[in-house]
Amino acid sequence: MDFASLPWNLFWVGVAYFLITGAFFCIGFMRLVSQRVKSGIVCMVIAVISGGFFLHYLFTHHI
């Protein structure tokens, strides 16, 4: 895999995407700790699935 051939704009989109996804994951974890299990699991699952879709897109179309 040659990551050097990726454009910088894709890098910044990836950084922003994983910052947002990480925030959803952290919100889900905080909801789990505060006994709101169902909404916490939903937030964490959304973050994981969303991150998987982004990685799938990245490896399919750019690498």
Side-chain angles (χ1 to χ4, degrees), residues 4-25:
S5 65
L6 293 176
W8 277 104
N9 60 352
L10 183 65
F11 170 76
W12 290 116
V13 166
V15 167
Y17 189 82
F18 279 105
L19 281 173
I20 294 168
T21 304
F24 269 114
F25 194 84

Side-chain angles (χ1 to χ4, degrees), residues 11-60:
F11 170 76
W12 290 116
V13 166
V15 167
Y17 189 82
F18 279 105
L19 281 173
I20 294 168
T21 304
F24 269 114
F25 194 84
C26 289
I27 289 169
F29 184 76
M30 289 188 317
R31 286 193 171 267
L32 278 176
V33 171
S34 68
Q35 303 299 322
R36 296 180 180 164
V37 175
K38 189 174 181 180
S39 64
I41 290 174
V42 167
C43 283
M44 292 174 88
V45 166
I46 288 171
V48 169
I49 290 173
S50 177
F53 278 134
F54 180 75
L55 288 175
H56 176 68
Y57 167 77
L58 180 69
F59 281 99
T60 302

